[in-house]
Amino acid sequence: MVESWVGSMSRLLPRAIRESGHEFTFLTRDLHHYLRSAPEGVAHPLLGARNVITADTNDTETLLPEVARLHAVLGFDGVLTSCDYYLPTAARIAGHLGLPGPGPEAVENACRKDATRRVLADASVPGPRFAVHEEWADLARAAREIGYPLVVKPVDLCAGMYVRRVDDEKQLAEAVAALAGFPVNARGQRRTPAVLVEELLDGPEVSVETVSHAGAVHVVGVTDKSIGGAPAFIETGHMFPAALTPADTEAAEQTALAALKALGLVDGVVAHTEIKLTSGGPRVVEVNPRPAGNRITELVRHVTGIDLAAAFVDVALGRAPDLRRADTGLRSAAVGFLVPDRTGTLEALGAARPADDAGVLEVQLAEPGKAVKAAHSNNEYLGHVMAGDPDGPGARDRVESLLAGIRAGLVIR
């Protein structure tokens, strides 16, 4: 495992590896990054690795021969990571060692938003009108040609960081300047200065969860998404399965399959492809060649019994994943996030119903005393609530009811 996110996948992947009867070696350039994220008095799950090795995971050319030497001793069977910034590195290592996995170029193209746009446009997979430039004059001209309102995006960040709606050239200049002030990402990697501007798409956004193995892409289902925090695009919640018509579900799935095929992500990949269901038909937003974050994998498991983290381990080993559905007793599951709209210190939250109440699957909230930042991306949540519905698509309403009670007592000073 080459690095990891420090959120839920840093717990789900080690568990899936262990429950599948395997062990893993963890490669990281900064072990303290993970130690800091573990709850006080609890060992981080990543420390359950058989080996924890410090290496410069940001220098791929140096890393490849180093991992080859480790492989000669430890005998790796697969390579994976949950962290977007290291997906291309993991793919290159797998290719270098002759292990299963998607092609490095396919992963690189999926992880670079500008490359994704070009590959999909060449394959006639529908997406927004877009332009990519580094110089201000070129960006301003492209924005005028596409037409405001627009979406401004970095080409190499994730979690919604610095993605903004802009309605005029002044707002565009402010968004570009803010992005220029963030030249190195949170993992110490220097960013490319290119900026992506896109047509603002109408309609709801969904994601298609898929597993690719041996040239076949299997659709697990479609998840919906709620967005807040304008002009940012912050994910405030999800429900699985999305409450869509059969026609919209089919359209989203087929568009995602076309995107994965165009990129070449048809083997060794668990993917999370985001689609806008616009008035002109489905359009691809992003293709993420890793399991969904924000607890979506757990929504899928609660409803279908399919463990996408375990599937990720299987395909990384070149094995057929277990995608058999089980009767879990739930027809839908939803998660909602507590998103702060101001900066300060958390003093109080409203009461949440007990986690053993009917339908409540998870309640995880920040403790009073926590330093709070007004949310500008998906990185500033104060917690989440997850609930299920055994009868139909009512899980989102249950979650919203729970969150309303918590928000009513929210105090940030």
Side-chain angles (χ1 to χ4, degrees):
M1 185 185 301
V2 185
E3 305 287 3
S4 170
W5 287 126
V6 296
S8 62
M9 199 54 67
S10 71
R11 296 182 292 277
L12 294 174
L13 264 186
R15 184 212 73 201
I17 292 170
R18 184 178 64 254
E19 291 181 354
S20 299
H22 310 303
E23 296 179 307
F24 69 101
T25 290
F26 184 53
L27 262 59
T28 178
R29 63 188 288 272
D30 180 12
L31 184 58
H32 292 283
H33 180 78
Y34 304 94
L35 297 177
R36 289 190 296 269
S37 72
E40 187 174 351
V42 178
H44 197 288
L46 292 167
L47 297 184
R50 181 176 181 179
N51 310 287
V52 178
I53 297 174
T54 300
D56 189 353
T57 51
N58 285 349
D59 184 351
T60 306
E61 299 308 319
T62 300
L63 187 63
L64 289 176
E66 186 172 348
V67 173
R69 288 191 292 270
L70 291 171
H71 180 49
V73 177
L74 299 174
F76 302 126
D77 300 296
V79 187
L80 48 66
T81 182
S82 65
C83 182
D84 297 55
Y85 299 135
Y86 295 97
L87 289 164
T89 302
R92 285 197 61 188
I93 291 173
H96 186 68
L97 301 182
L99 296 176
E105 183 180 2
V107 175
E108 182 74 39
N109 285 338
C111 290
R112 279 283 301 251
K113 295 179 176 65
D114 52 340
T116 299
R117 285 280 171 253
R118 294 184 181 112
V119 170
L120 298 189
D122 288 345
S124 299
V125 178
R129 290 175 293 138
F130 71 96
V132 185
H133 295 290
E134 293 187 15
E135 300 299 328
W136 166 250
D138 295 327
L139 278 170
R141 182 179 65 255
R144 290 191 295 270
E145 291 172 353
I146 296 172
Y148 292 97
L150 294 167
V151 179
V152 177
K153 294 181 178 180
V155 298
D156 53 4
L157 289 176
C158 49
M161 292 184 68
Y162 292 93
V163 178
R164 298 289 182 271
R165 169 181 169 145
V166 296
D167 293 307
D168 53 40
E169 193 164 294
K170 178 177 180 293
Q171 291 181 5
L172 175 63
E174 292 169 350
V176 171
L179 189 51
F182 192 71
V184 177
N185 70 24
R187 296 306 182 96
Q189 299 169 335
R190 183 156 292 277
R191 297 188 46 259
T192 178
V195 177
L196 177 64
V197 290
E198 296 180 351
E199 167 192 12
L200 179 67
L201 299 174
D202 64 0
E205 185 171 331
V206 299
S207 60
V208 182
E209 323 308 335
T210 56
V211 180
S212 301
H213 174 67
V217 183
H218 305 274
V219 175
V220 175
V222 180
T223 312
D224 78 6
K225 177 188 297 187
S226 54
I227 298 290
F233 295 84
I234 300 172
E235 297 178 2
T236 60
H238 304 276
M239 187 172 75
F240 182 91
L244 300 175
T245 66
D248 280 344
T249 299
E250 175 73 8
E253 292 177 352
Q254 291 304 314
T255 303
L257 292 173
L260 292 167
K261 181 179 178 181
L263 287 161
L265 295 171
V266 296
D267 191 22
V269 180
V270 176
H272 169 73
T273 303
E274 297 171 340
I275 306 286
K276 273 274 194 177
L277 298 173
T278 78
S279 55
R283 301 287 184 269
V284 176
V285 177
E286 289 183 4
V287 179
N288 300 284
R290 44 82 179 155
N294 268 358
R295 307 301 287 166
I296 291 173
T297 55
E298 290 301 274
L299 300 182
V300 172
R301 184 178 64 84
H302 280 300
V303 175
T304 69
I306 294 172
D307 187 337
L308 289 175
F312 190 30
V313 173
D314 284 335
V315 298
L317 294 169
R319 302 177 181 181
D322 183 359
L323 301 179
R324 292 173 296 178
R325 293 174 182 260
D327 182 2
T328 65
L330 291 179
R331 297 285 300 280
S332 67
V335 64
F337 301 100
L338 189 61
V339 181
D341 60 1
R342 70 200 81 129
T343 297
T345 301
L346 177 64
E347 291 198 356
L349 290 168
R353 290 210 315 253
D356 59 357
D357 272 16
V360 178
L361 301 171
E362 293 180 9
V363 177
Q364 182 178 317
L365 300 170
E367 295 291 335
K370 176 182 173 63
V372 177
K373 290 174 57 179
H376 297 292
S377 70
N378 298 336
N379 293 324
E380 288 93 20
Y381 298 137
L382 292 179
H384 70 268
V385 175
M386 185 186 295
D389 181 4
D391 301 317
R396 179 182 292 283
D397 289 341
R398 293 186 179 210
V399 164
E400 286 304 320
S401 176
L402 287 163
L403 281 176
I406 295 169
R407 292 190 190 104
L410 176 63
V411 178
I412 298 174
R413 298 192 194 279

